mmCIF file of all heavy atoms in Angstrom:
data_model
loop_
_atom_site.group_PDB
_atom_site.id
_atom_site.type_symbol
_atom_site.label_atom_id
_atom_site.label_comp_id
_atom_site.label_asym_id
_atom_site.label_seq_id
_atom_site.Cartn_x
_atom_site.Cartn_y
_atom_site.Cartn_z
ATOM 1 N N ARG B 459 -95.297 62.139 24.269
ATOM 2 C CA ARG B 459 -95.748 62.813 25.502
ATOM 3 C C ARG B 459 -94.637 63.714 26.047
ATOM 4 O O ARG B 459 -94.905 64.825 26.495
ATOM 5 C CB ARG B 459 -96.131 61.766 26.554
ATOM 6 C CG ARG B 459 -96.574 62.352 27.894
ATOM 7 C CD ARG B 459 -97.711 63.358 27.776
ATOM 8 N NE ARG B 459 -98.182 63.820 29.079
ATOM 9 C CZ ARG B 459 -98.933 64.891 29.262
ATOM 10 N NH1 ARG B 459 -99.305 65.630 28.225
ATOM 11 N NH2 ARG B 459 -99.300 65.253 30.486
ATOM 12 N N ALA B 460 -93.391 63.223 25.989
ATOM 13 C CA ALA B 460 -92.270 64.035 26.450
ATOM 14 C C ALA B 460 -92.155 65.319 25.623
ATOM 15 O O ALA B 460 -91.928 66.404 26.151
ATOM 16 C CB ALA B 460 -90.967 63.247 26.389
ATOM 17 N N HIS B 461 -92.337 65.197 24.302
ATOM 18 C CA HIS B 461 -92.265 66.379 23.423
ATOM 19 C C HIS B 461 -93.404 67.347 23.743
ATOM 20 O O HIS B 461 -93.228 68.578 23.766
ATOM 21 C CB HIS B 461 -92.341 65.961 21.965
ATOM 22 C CG HIS B 461 -92.555 67.096 21.017
ATOM 23 N ND1 HIS B 461 -91.659 68.144 20.854
ATOM 24 C CD2 HIS B 461 -93.604 67.385 20.177
ATOM 25 C CE1 HIS B 461 -92.127 69.014 19.965
ATOM 26 N NE2 HIS B 461 -93.302 68.575 19.544
ATOM 27 N N GLU B 462 -94.579 66.806 24.037
ATOM 28 C CA GLU B 462 -95.732 67.645 24.372
ATOM 29 C C GLU B 462 -95.472 68.473 25.623
ATOM 30 O O GLU B 462 -95.873 69.642 25.721
ATOM 31 C CB GLU B 462 -96.955 66.745 24.591
ATOM 32 C CG GLU B 462 -98.254 67.484 24.865
ATOM 33 C CD GLU B 462 -99.416 66.549 25.123
ATOM 34 O OE1 GLU B 462 -99.300 65.347 24.782
ATOM 35 O OE2 GLU B 462 -100.424 67.006 25.684
ATOM 36 N N LEU B 463 -94.777 67.858 26.611
ATOM 37 C CA LEU B 463 -94.458 68.568 27.857
ATOM 38 C C LEU B 463 -93.245 69.437 27.745
ATOM 39 O O LEU B 463 -92.989 70.284 28.595
ATOM 40 C CB LEU B 463 -94.239 67.544 28.984
ATOM 41 C CG LEU B 463 -95.430 66.666 29.365
ATOM 42 C CD1 LEU B 463 -95.020 65.613 30.359
ATOM 43 C CD2 LEU B 463 -96.554 67.546 29.938
ATOM 44 N N ALA B 464 -92.454 69.227 26.693
ATOM 45 C CA ALA B 464 -91.195 69.954 26.508
ATOM 46 C C ALA B 464 -91.458 71.257 25.749
ATOM 47 O O ALA B 464 -92.070 72.171 26.287
ATOM 48 C CB ALA B 464 -90.195 69.060 25.779
ATOM 49 N N ARG B 465 -90.932 71.347 24.535
ATOM 50 C CA ARG B 465 -91.143 72.530 23.686
ATOM 51 C C ARG B 465 -90.653 73.810 24.349
ATOM 52 O O ARG B 465 -91.095 74.897 24.035
ATOM 53 C CB ARG B 465 -92.616 72.646 23.301
ATOM 54 C CG ARG B 465 -93.092 71.469 22.442
ATOM 55 C CD ARG B 465 -94.552 71.192 22.569
ATOM 56 N NE ARG B 465 -95.383 72.320 22.127
ATOM 57 C CZ ARG B 465 -96.670 72.432 22.449
ATOM 58 N NH1 ARG B 465 -97.257 71.503 23.180
ATOM 59 N NH2 ARG B 465 -97.378 73.466 22.024
ATOM 60 N N GLY B 466 -89.735 73.652 25.335
ATOM 61 C CA GLY B 466 -89.148 74.819 25.976
ATOM 62 C C GLY B 466 -89.961 75.426 27.093
ATOM 63 O O GLY B 466 -89.581 76.457 27.652
ATOM 64 N N ARG B 467 -91.073 74.789 27.478
ATOM 65 C CA ARG B 467 -91.988 75.405 28.436
ATOM 66 C C ARG B 467 -91.492 75.268 29.862
ATOM 67 O O ARG B 467 -91.058 74.197 30.304
ATOM 68 C CB ARG B 467 -93.380 74.798 28.322
ATOM 69 C CG ARG B 467 -94.395 75.461 29.254
ATOM 70 C CD ARG B 467 -95.795 75.224 28.794
ATOM 71 N NE ARG B 467 -96.751 75.920 29.660
ATOM 72 C CZ ARG B 467 -98.048 76.063 29.387
ATOM 73 N NH1 ARG B 467 -98.547 75.568 28.266
ATOM 74 N NH2 ARG B 467 -98.850 76.690 30.228
ATOM 75 N N VAL B 468 -91.593 76.363 30.633
ATOM 76 C CA VAL B 468 -91.267 76.365 32.048
ATOM 77 C C VAL B 468 -92.530 76.047 32.836
ATOM 78 O O VAL B 468 -93.592 76.618 32.587
ATOM 79 C CB VAL B 468 -90.700 77.730 32.483
ATOM 80 C CG1 VAL B 468 -90.365 77.726 33.981
ATOM 81 C CG2 VAL B 468 -89.449 78.066 31.665
ATOM 82 N N TRP B 469 -92.394 75.141 33.825
ATOM 83 C CA TRP B 469 -93.504 74.752 34.668
ATOM 84 C C TRP B 469 -93.183 75.068 36.118
ATOM 85 O O TRP B 469 -92.020 75.022 36.525
ATOM 86 C CB TRP B 469 -93.787 73.254 34.569
ATOM 87 C CG TRP B 469 -94.055 72.727 33.212
ATOM 88 C CD1 TRP B 469 -93.162 72.139 32.355
ATOM 89 C CD2 TRP B 469 -95.310 72.740 32.511
ATOM 90 N NE1 TRP B 469 -93.773 71.769 31.192
ATOM 91 C CE2 TRP B 469 -95.097 72.114 31.243
ATOM 92 C CE3 TRP B 469 -96.594 73.188 32.844
ATOM 93 C CZ2 TRP B 469 -96.119 71.947 30.308
ATOM 94 C CZ3 TRP B 469 -97.613 73.015 31.899
ATOM 95 C CH2 TRP B 469 -97.375 72.417 30.669
ATOM 96 N N THR B 470 -94.198 75.361 36.911
ATOM 97 C CA THR B 470 -93.987 75.352 38.349
ATOM 98 C C THR B 470 -93.851 73.911 38.811
ATOM 99 O O THR B 470 -94.285 72.973 38.116
ATOM 100 C CB THR B 470 -95.157 76.018 39.095
ATOM 101 O OG1 THR B 470 -96.355 75.245 38.867
ATOM 102 C CG2 THR B 470 -95.350 77.446 38.677
ATOM 103 N N GLY B 471 -93.300 73.705 39.995
ATOM 104 C CA GLY B 471 -93.175 72.342 40.525
ATOM 105 C C GLY B 471 -94.528 71.669 40.647
ATOM 106 O O GLY B 471 -94.660 70.458 40.391
ATOM 107 N N ALA B 472 -95.565 72.421 41.041
ATOM 108 C CA ALA B 472 -96.903 71.864 41.167
ATOM 109 C C ALA B 472 -97.405 71.331 39.838
ATOM 110 O O ALA B 472 -97.937 70.210 39.742
ATOM 111 C CB ALA B 472 -97.859 72.902 41.724
ATOM 112 N N ASP B 473 -97.237 72.120 38.773
ATOM 113 C CA ASP B 473 -97.707 71.688 37.455
ATOM 114 C C ASP B 473 -96.824 70.575 36.898
ATOM 115 O O ASP B 473 -97.311 69.666 36.200
ATOM 116 C CB ASP B 473 -97.736 72.881 36.499
ATOM 117 C CG ASP B 473 -98.905 73.830 36.773
ATOM 118 O OD1 ASP B 473 -99.806 73.441 37.547
ATOM 119 O OD2 ASP B 473 -98.908 74.949 36.219
ATOM 120 N N ALA B 474 -95.530 70.633 37.158
ATOM 121 C CA ALA B 474 -94.619 69.589 36.715
ATOM 122 C C ALA B 474 -94.960 68.258 37.373
ATOM 123 O O ALA B 474 -94.894 67.190 36.751
ATOM 124 C CB ALA B 474 -93.183 69.970 36.994
ATOM 125 N N HIS B 475 -95.336 68.312 38.656
ATOM 126 C CA HIS B 475 -95.727 67.098 39.375
ATOM 127 C C HIS B 475 -96.997 66.498 38.788
ATOM 128 O O HIS B 475 -97.100 65.283 38.613
ATOM 129 C CB HIS B 475 -95.951 67.440 40.860
ATOM 130 C CG HIS B 475 -96.427 66.295 41.675
ATOM 131 N ND1 HIS B 475 -97.696 66.270 42.228
ATOM 132 C CD2 HIS B 475 -95.846 65.124 42.023
ATOM 133 C CE1 HIS B 475 -97.877 65.134 42.890
ATOM 134 N NE2 HIS B 475 -96.768 64.434 42.791
ATOM 135 N N ALA B 476 -97.956 67.350 38.447
ATOM 136 C CA ALA B 476 -99.207 66.871 37.875
ATOM 137 C C ALA B 476 -98.993 66.210 36.510
ATOM 138 O O ALA B 476 -99.807 65.398 36.087
ATOM 139 C CB ALA B 476 -100.204 68.024 37.738
ATOM 140 N N ARG B 477 -97.870 66.515 35.853
ATOM 141 C CA ARG B 477 -97.599 66.003 34.516
ATOM 142 C C ARG B 477 -96.508 64.945 34.480
ATOM 143 O O ARG B 477 -96.105 64.515 33.407
ATOM 144 C CB ARG B 477 -97.248 67.184 33.579
ATOM 145 C CG ARG B 477 -98.458 68.058 33.312
ATOM 146 C CD ARG B 477 -98.067 69.444 32.826
ATOM 147 N NE ARG B 477 -99.270 70.216 32.479
ATOM 148 C CZ ARG B 477 -100.059 70.813 33.356
ATOM 149 N NH1 ARG B 477 -99.773 70.747 34.645
ATOM 150 N NH2 ARG B 477 -101.128 71.477 32.966
ATOM 151 N N GLY B 478 -96.009 64.535 35.615
ATOM 152 C CA GLY B 478 -95.043 63.453 35.672
ATOM 153 C C GLY B 478 -93.586 63.822 35.451
ATOM 154 O O GLY B 478 -92.726 62.968 35.396
ATOM 155 N N LEU B 479 -93.300 65.143 35.319
ATOM 156 C CA LEU B 479 -91.921 65.575 35.206
ATOM 157 C C LEU B 479 -91.227 65.574 36.558
ATOM 158 O O LEU B 479 -89.982 65.543 36.625
ATOM 159 C CB LEU B 479 -91.845 66.965 34.566
ATOM 160 C CG LEU B 479 -92.327 67.077 33.113
ATOM 161 C CD1 LEU B 479 -92.313 68.520 32.652
ATOM 162 C CD2 LEU B 479 -91.500 66.202 32.182
ATOM 163 N N VAL B 480 -91.998 65.625 37.600
ATOM 164 C CA VAL B 480 -91.520 65.570 38.997
ATOM 165 C C VAL B 480 -92.306 64.498 39.693
ATOM 166 O O VAL B 480 -93.506 64.326 39.442
ATOM 167 C CB VAL B 480 -91.712 66.948 39.682
ATOM 168 C CG1 VAL B 480 -91.572 66.840 41.180
ATOM 169 C CG2 VAL B 480 -90.729 67.969 39.139
ATOM 170 N N ASP B 481 -91.658 63.725 40.572
ATOM 171 C CA ASP B 481 -92.319 62.593 41.220
ATOM 172 C C ASP B 481 -93.064 62.973 42.517
ATOM 173 O O ASP B 481 -94.128 62.447 42.795
ATOM 174 C CB ASP B 481 -91.293 61.507 41.543
ATOM 175 C CG ASP B 481 -90.630 60.971 40.312
ATOM 176 O OD1 ASP B 481 -91.335 60.409 39.459
ATOM 177 O OD2 ASP B 481 -89.390 61.138 40.163
ATOM 178 N N GLU B 482 -92.425 63.869 43.304
ATOM 179 C CA GLU B 482 -92.992 64.186 44.611
ATOM 180 C C GLU B 482 -92.863 65.678 44.886
ATOM 181 O O GLU B 482 -91.914 66.326 44.412
ATOM 182 C CB GLU B 482 -92.253 63.431 45.741
ATOM 183 C CG GLU B 482 -92.284 61.919 45.611
ATOM 184 C CD GLU B 482 -93.622 61.316 45.966
ATOM 185 O OE1 GLU B 482 -94.461 62.032 46.555
ATOM 186 O OE2 GLU B 482 -93.834 60.118 45.680
ATOM 187 N N LEU B 483 -93.807 66.232 45.652
ATOM 188 C CA LEU B 483 -93.707 67.603 46.121
ATOM 189 C C LEU B 483 -93.133 67.572 47.547
ATOM 190 O O LEU B 483 -93.686 66.904 48.425
ATOM 191 C CB LEU B 483 -95.066 68.292 46.111
ATOM 192 C CG LEU B 483 -95.666 68.522 44.713
ATOM 193 C CD1 LEU B 483 -97.044 69.195 44.851
ATOM 194 C CD2 LEU B 483 -94.744 69.381 43.861
ATOM 195 N N GLY B 484 -92.038 68.262 47.738
ATOM 196 C CA GLY B 484 -91.395 68.266 49.052
ATOM 197 C C GLY B 484 -90.029 68.908 48.935
ATOM 198 O O GLY B 484 -89.622 69.371 47.869
ATOM 199 N N GLY B 485 -89.314 68.908 50.074
ATOM 200 C CA GLY B 485 -88.034 69.596 50.123
ATOM 201 C C GLY B 485 -86.873 68.657 50.393
ATOM 202 O O GLY B 485 -86.951 67.428 50.254
ATOM 203 N N LEU B 486 -85.765 69.261 50.812
ATOM 204 C CA LEU B 486 -84.541 68.545 51.037
ATOM 205 C C LEU B 486 -84.687 67.475 52.096
ATOM 206 O O LEU B 486 -84.199 66.347 51.956
ATOM 207 C CB LEU B 486 -83.420 69.527 51.416
ATOM 208 C CG LEU B 486 -82.036 68.947 51.681
ATOM 209 C CD1 LEU B 486 -81.508 68.205 50.458
ATOM 210 C CD2 LEU B 486 -81.059 70.062 52.075
ATOM 211 N N GLU B 487 -85.352 67.809 53.205
ATOM 212 C CA GLU B 487 -85.543 66.831 54.288
ATOM 213 C C GLU B 487 -86.361 65.623 53.817
ATOM 214 O O GLU B 487 -86.101 64.491 54.202
ATOM 215 C CB GLU B 487 -86.210 67.481 55.486
ATOM 216 C CG GLU B 487 -85.287 68.381 56.301
ATOM 217 C CD GLU B 487 -84.219 67.588 57.029
ATOM 218 O OE1 GLU B 487 -84.540 66.555 57.630
ATOM 219 O OE2 GLU B 487 -83.039 67.994 56.995
ATOM 220 N N ASP B 488 -87.322 65.860 52.950
ATOM 221 C CA ASP B 488 -88.127 64.776 52.385
ATOM 222 C C ASP B 488 -87.268 63.871 51.504
ATOM 223 O O ASP B 488 -87.383 62.638 51.552
ATOM 224 C CB ASP B 488 -89.288 65.319 51.569
ATOM 225 C CG ASP B 488 -90.250 66.132 52.406
ATOM 226 O OD1 ASP B 488 -90.761 65.615 53.415
ATOM 227 O OD2 ASP B 488 -90.488 67.309 52.055
ATOM 228 N N ALA B 489 -86.394 64.485 50.716
ATOM 229 C CA ALA B 489 -85.509 63.712 49.837
ATOM 230 C C ALA B 489 -84.544 62.861 50.663
ATOM 231 O O ALA B 489 -84.277 61.697 50.350
ATOM 232 C CB ALA B 489 -84.734 64.658 48.924
ATOM 233 N N ILE B 490 -84.002 63.444 51.740
ATOM 234 C CA ILE B 490 -83.097 62.699 52.604
ATOM 235 C C ILE B 490 -83.807 61.543 53.292
ATOM 236 O O ILE B 490 -83.284 60.422 53.382
ATOM 237 C CB ILE B 490 -82.463 63.649 53.641
ATOM 238 C CG1 ILE B 490 -81.497 64.622 52.962
ATOM 239 C CG2 ILE B 490 -81.738 62.878 54.733
ATOM 240 C CD1 ILE B 490 -80.978 65.734 53.830
ATOM 241 N N ALA B 491 -85.042 61.789 53.763
ATOM 242 C CA ALA B 491 -85.812 60.739 54.412
ATOM 243 C C ALA B 491 -86.073 59.574 53.451
ATOM 244 O O ALA B 491 -85.949 58.400 53.842
ATOM 245 C CB ALA B 491 -87.134 61.295 54.922
ATOM 246 N N LEU B 492 -86.410 59.880 52.206
ATOM 247 C CA LEU B 492 -86.658 58.805 51.231
ATOM 248 C C LEU B 492 -85.364 58.075 50.888
ATOM 249 O O LEU B 492 -85.365 56.840 50.741
ATOM 250 C CB LEU B 492 -87.281 59.373 49.967
ATOM 251 C CG LEU B 492 -87.603 58.328 48.883
ATOM 252 C CD1 LEU B 492 -88.593 57.298 49.392
ATOM 253 C CD2 LEU B 492 -88.128 59.008 47.620
ATOM 254 N N ALA B 493 -84.256 58.813 50.796
ATOM 255 C CA ALA B 493 -82.959 58.169 50.519
ATOM 256 C C ALA B 493 -82.622 57.178 51.612
ATOM 257 O O ALA B 493 -82.143 56.062 51.348
ATOM 258 C CB ALA B 493 -81.886 59.231 50.378
ATOM 259 N N ARG B 494 -82.840 57.552 52.881
ATOM 260 C CA ARG B 494 -82.574 56.641 53.983
ATOM 261 C C ARG B 494 -83.474 55.409 53.877
ATOM 262 O O ARG B 494 -83.036 54.275 54.116
ATOM 263 C CB ARG B 494 -82.823 57.351 55.316
ATOM 264 C CG ARG B 494 -81.719 58.338 55.711
ATOM 265 C CD ARG B 494 -82.146 59.171 56.885
ATOM 266 N NE ARG B 494 -81.047 59.987 57.418
ATOM 267 C CZ ARG B 494 -81.198 61.151 58.029
ATOM 268 N NH1 ARG B 494 -82.456 61.659 58.167
ATOM 269 N NH2 ARG B 494 -80.170 61.822 58.487
ATOM 270 N N LYS B 495 -84.728 55.627 53.521
ATOM 271 C CA LYS B 495 -85.668 54.506 53.426
ATOM 272 C C LYS B 495 -85.266 53.581 52.296
ATOM 273 O O LYS B 495 -85.258 52.347 52.468
ATOM 274 C CB LYS B 495 -87.079 55.057 53.178
ATOM 275 C CG LYS B 495 -88.144 53.988 53.113
ATOM 276 C CD LYS B 495 -89.531 54.619 52.937
ATOM 277 C CE LYS B 495 -90.606 53.525 52.832
ATOM 278 N NZ LYS B 495 -91.953 54.138 52.637
#
Side-chain angles (χ1 to χ4, degrees):
R459 178 55 175 164
H461 168 63
E462 183 182 344
L463 297 173
R465 296 154 62 196
R467 183 159 182 170
V468 179
W469 303 97
T470 63
D473 286 348
H475 176 248
R477 290 160 176 79
L479 294 176
V480 165
D481 299 298
E482 301 285 347
L483 293 178
L486 180 59
E487 285 291 315
D488 298 304
I490 291 171
L492 181 60
R494 285 170 171 151
K495 182 178 179 181

